[in-house]
Amino acid sequence: MNRLALKLLLPILLLLAWELLASGSARAPRPSTVVQAAAAMTASGDLPTGLATSLLRVFLGFATASVLAVPLGIVMGSVAVVERNLDPLVESFRPIAAIALLPLIILWLGTGTQAAVAIVAYAAFFPILINTIAGVKRIEPNLMRAAYTMGVGALTRMRVVLLPAALPAILIGMRIGLGVAWTAIIAAELAVGAKAGGQGGIGQMMFVFYAYSVELNGIVVCMVAVGIVALLLDRSLRFALARAVPWSAP
Amino acid sequence: MTRAGAPWEFLRWFGGVLIYCRTMALFLLVWHLAAEAVPNKLLLPSPLAVAQALRESWLDGELTANAGISLLRLLVSVAAAALLAIPLGLAMGRSKTVGDLLEWPVELLRPIAGIAWIPLALFIFGIGQRLPIFIMFYTAFFPLLLGTAAGAQSVDRRLIAAARTMGLSRGTIMRQVVVPAALPSVLVSLRLAVAASWTAVVAAELVGAPSGLGYAIEYYRSMLATPTVMAFIAAIGMLGFLTDRALRWLGDLLAPWARAEGRR
Amino acid sequence: MTDARMTDATMTDAKIRLSGIGKSFGAPAAPVVAVQDLSLDIRPGEFLTIVGPSGCGKTTVLNMLAGLETPTTGTMTLDGRPIRGPGAERGVMFQDYALFPWKTVRGNIGFGLVHGPAGAGLSAAEREERVRRVIELVGLTGSEEKYPHQLSGGMRQRVALARLMANEPQILLMDEPLAALDAQTRIILQDELLRIWGQDKPAAQRRTVVYITHSIDEAVFLADRVVVLSSHPGRLKRIVEIDLPRPRDDATRLSKGFADLCQSIWQSIREEAYRATMT
């Protein structure tokens, strides 16, 4: 009970201080006005629509990245020649942040969903790829050999030994990738909203609140929503990880 | 098993360099041919044009000026984040009270990406120097805080017990046992923090700064100078890569016993 | 037992025949010779143990028999046919057991029956029955649904043994299977291993076992013959016939014959063992 009080102490103090300090100014957002704004934005459907648009883009991009990165990572992790030859490319592109590619992507794909999906896919690709490679390379060699000595064929070995053995690492890569993807979509929508007048998404909503309607309560509502979604995405993949890997020691 | 001598090691290293050059040459060739096939040079300029643009922006000092500004912002914001986050993280890791006190504020704020602060920060700070520094500080802060806390928390109890039996004071134990034991974890989180900040600087400058690499790529995009845009993107990638290498080197220097940890 | 039997077996049907086997590793410029000029006949149904100081290439020999490594020189035949790669007729038990962490005890034991040729022609019910039988044989009943990380070292060892048995290979290749266990568990499992191998049954019904160990008393207790290797490079030093009566039990461990055989083998490798330990 004491510990719970300790944990609640700072959040409550901070919220109170914010409420009191901001009450002097009419436009400054306060916890009470933010809650009102959140209710209004949910009732009008703006907030759910914005979130849904962003989430759809994230899922499309994330799925694209997974479909490309997991098989490539498995091949790179199990065939040394392929890894050696492709590693220079991976190491060259990995340090380039997805958001830095935004100007190019706007040039190639415009400012719509396609561009957003491409940014997300690029952002999520490298964490998934690198974790998959590492996971495949870290497999106990004797596990593959054990299946080999039992006369299990090469393709079956891939499916029943290599894949489950690398699965924890692949899922960790996906969890990191999804987190990065969510950040990338916000950045992309913000930047697109700022410069090119694209459509939709929670990031763009925030920019519109800043640039046109000067609605600070709306901005804070969006920020909190971004945080909650990030938390939910992370928790759901953690849950998936725990469910899909029941054999790992707790 | 392998008792490889120095010449063998050298051959292996040299082979690696050859493969690197071959892969990159092939990539540049494919890019060049693709660029030849695309009629609109604005959409996909050839790597030669990009190299030319890189050279020009280097020669007229624009590349170094913008890169210098971005790197300086990175340095200032990560240093500030480290100064605040590392002591706080040590306290969180070693004291249950501090840990409980900070747990919820941290867990509530951390999921809100630094980038999502941009609109509000624009309103508070306006366009200029302070906006990207705030965003990068915020982005670097949480990995450093949590990495330090985890490192301090997972210090082997027996090490602390051993120091106690030798009669060391709390302060000495903190400096001589906890800090060195947590150092590898701090250094790994520093690399994560810098990488995340470097991503955030581009976004922040793209939207709300009148200078820096992020501003430059956006500026040249609006001028439709695609080769220069690509040159600046390449610069962002190279600087990100070099900073990471420098941090690894620093890590090996400060914590040589943790050499194998946190590779890649 | 007798010299007559040995000649008999060598002359007629060796199960596995190694002639002039050699294996080196590493850079072609500076090869490390692990095994040199090893010739050996392994008889059908015999329990053959291989001992030697560390660095004698014991594991390399076993990996070559398993088909996981190819000899640099010499030939290996099984029933007269050259060995090329692994085969389901040779089952391997690895030193670290190599249990699949994502499979339960039941899943691990049935792995070869489900995914390998060992289960070909068996119905699902027959496979289940086979798995159930070996689980009972090694005393794992009640732990079928546990994952390897939930088991003790001794139980993991039993799972690995059961997995090996379930596939019913003609030849069992075992790489220090008891090395990771404490002394009491080792003794218990040595007794069980002999029981499962069939020391109470007539010799014709036993499977061929090649068993690597670094422990001399274990080698003597289990074996029909002990192969002693020398180290750097691994070479055949001696083959010792173990004529202790079967079934063997605690009385065997206390017998004079047992002690004499152990002492004799220790004498032939002590110098090298000292050198390996002290340098």
Side-chain angles (χ1 to χ4, degrees), chain C residues 21 26 28 60 84-85 100 105 110 132 135 208 225 230 233 241 248:
Chain C
I21 291 297
T60 308
R84 292 197 189 87
F100 302 110
V105 168
R132 198 197 56 74
I135 285 178
T208 311
R225 287 191 301 161
S230 67
E241 289 278 339
R248 295 176 190 165

Side-chain angles (χ1 to χ4, degrees), chain B residues 186-244:
Chain B
V186 175
L187 290 168
V188 169
S189 62
L190 183 66
R191 277 179 59 205
L192 289 176
V194 166
S197 277
W198 192 241
T199 308
V201 75
V202 178
E205 289 175 347
L206 210 68
V207 180
S211 56
L213 290 171
Y215 167 79
I217 54 172
E218 180 51 30
Y219 174 77
Y220 284 108
R221 184 195 67 85
S222 62
M223 307 285 285
L224 291 178
T226 316
T228 317
V229 171
M230 286 189 163
F232 275 92
I233 290 174
I236 288 172
M238 276 188 268
L239 287 173
F241 177 78
L242 289 176
T243 352
D244 191 62

Side-chain angles (χ1 to χ4, degrees), chain A residues 74-75 78 144 152-164:
Chain A
I74 287 176
V75 172
S78 39
M144 290 296 275
V152 179
L155 278 179
T156 315
R157 283 209 297 278
M158 272 264 193
R159 184 169 56 81
V160 300
V161 182
L162 189 134
L163 207 57

Side-chain angles (χ1 to χ4, degrees), chain C residues 11-267:
Chain C
M11 297 302 289
T12 56
D13 50 357
K15 186 71 183 167
I16 299 178
R17 174 163 290 168
L18 307 177
S19 17
I21 291 297
K23 177 75 183 175
S24 15
F25 292 100
V32 178
V33 181
V35 178
Q36 197 173 52
D37 195 28
L38 178 66
S39 295
L40 179 68
D41 279 0
I42 300 166
R43 304 165 187 157
E46 88 167 319
F47 202 123
L48 184 90
T49 58
I50 303 182
V51 286
S54 51
C56 71
K58 299 181 291 243
T59 298
T60 308
V61 172
L62 199 86
N63 282 342
M64 287 193 286
L65 287 172
L68 291 168
E69 277 166 25
T70 322
T72 329
T73 60
T75 56
M76 284 184 312
T77 57
L78 167 66
D79 290 330
R81 286 184 299 277
I83 292 177
R84 292 197 189 87
E89 77 285 344
R90 279 159 290 143
V92 183
M93 185 166 156
F94 294 89
Q95 191 179 350
D96 58 6
Y97 310 146
L99 298 179
F100 302 110
W102 55 90
K103 294 268 187 212
T104 58
V105 168
R106 193 197 297 282
N108 262 290
I109 294 172
F111 188 88
L113 294 176
V114 175
H115 299 296
L122 294 182
S123 70
E126 284 168 320
R127 284 177 198 166
E128 255 173 57
E129 172 54 24
R130 173 101 64 96
V131 170
R132 198 197 56 74
R133 218 177 54 228
V134 289
I135 285 178
E136 203 179 278
L137 188 70
V138 300
L140 279 170
T141 314
S143 303
E144 289 91 340
E145 302 310 323
K146 287 192 176 147
Y147 286 101
H149 74 86
Q150 299 169 307
L151 303 175
S152 68
M155 282 171 90
R156 278 182 219 177
Q157 194 274 347
R158 285 157 197 261
V159 177
L161 185 62
R163 184 172 72 182
L164 185 64
M165 304 300 298
N167 297 323
E168 298 193 345
Q170 303 165 25
I171 299 156
L172 283 65
L173 305 171
M174 308 173 87
D175 186 5
E176 305 211 21
L178 306 182
L181 304 175
D182 62 85
Q184 287 101 336
T185 316
R186 283 180 76 138
I187 289 178
I188 294 166
L189 289 174
Q190 283 168 6
D191 290 344
E192 267 188 67
L193 193 57
L194 286 182
R195 178 177 62 79
I196 291 166
W197 168 65
Q199 70 167 347
D200 308 318
K201 294 181 193 157
Q205 287 176 22
R206 295 172 186 161
R207 294 174 197 284
T208 311
V209 179
V210 180
Y211 186 106
I212 307 273
T213 177
H214 62 257
S215 149
I216 293 172
D217 53 353
E218 180 170 291
V220 170
F221 180 75
L222 294 171
D224 291 321
R225 287 191 301 161
V226 176
V227 171
V228 185
L229 296 182
S230 67
S231 61
H232 300 300
R235 266 192 253 204
L236 182 63
K237 185 151 202 157
R238 229 181 122 188
I239 299 181
V240 184
E241 289 278 339
I242 308 297
D243 47 9
L244 301 169
R246 290 191 190 273
R248 295 176 190 165
D249 48 26
D250 285 342
T252 316
R253 289 193 178 92
L254 295 170
S255 68
K256 170 111 178 38
F258 178 76
D260 289 346
L261 282 163
C262 290
Q263 190 56 32
S264 153
I265 292 173
W266 170 238
Q267 288 301 335

Side-chain angles (χ1 to χ4, degrees), chain B residues 50-170:
Chain B
V50 175
Q52 176 71 17
L54 194 62
R55 205 177 93 91
E56 275 167 17
S57 21
W58 172 271
L59 285 180
D60 65 17
E62 203 174 344
L63 182 69
T64 32
N66 283 309
I69 289 169
S70 293
L71 282 175
L72 188 67
R73 286 174 182 156
L74 180 76
L75 188 70
V76 169
S77 48
V78 173
L83 278 180
L84 196 63
I86 292 175
L88 211 54
L90 287 174
M92 265 181 92
R94 294 313 311 166
S95 149
K96 230 177 166 54
T97 315
V98 180
D100 282 347
L101 204 59
L102 290 179
E103 185 188 323
W104 283 27
V106 170
E107 288 304 312
L108 289 173
L109 279 177
R110 191 170 63 107
I112 303 178
I115 284 164
W117 280 86
I118 290 178
L120 192 65
L122 269 171
F123 195 83
I124 298 172
F125 298 118
I127 287 177
Q129 194 74 264
R130 286 184 300 170
L131 170 77
I133 289 182
F134 168 75
I135 301 292
M136 291 163 83
F137 168 85
Y138 180 93
T139 307
F141 182 78
F142 290 104
L144 275 168
L145 181 76
L146 296 175
T148 308
Q153 201 166 22
S154 63
V155 176
D156 192 339
R157 285 156 173 266
R158 288 168 305 173
L159 292 182
I160 293 171
R164 278 226 186 97
T165 60
M166 292 179 230
L168 270 62
S169 70
R170 282 181 70 105

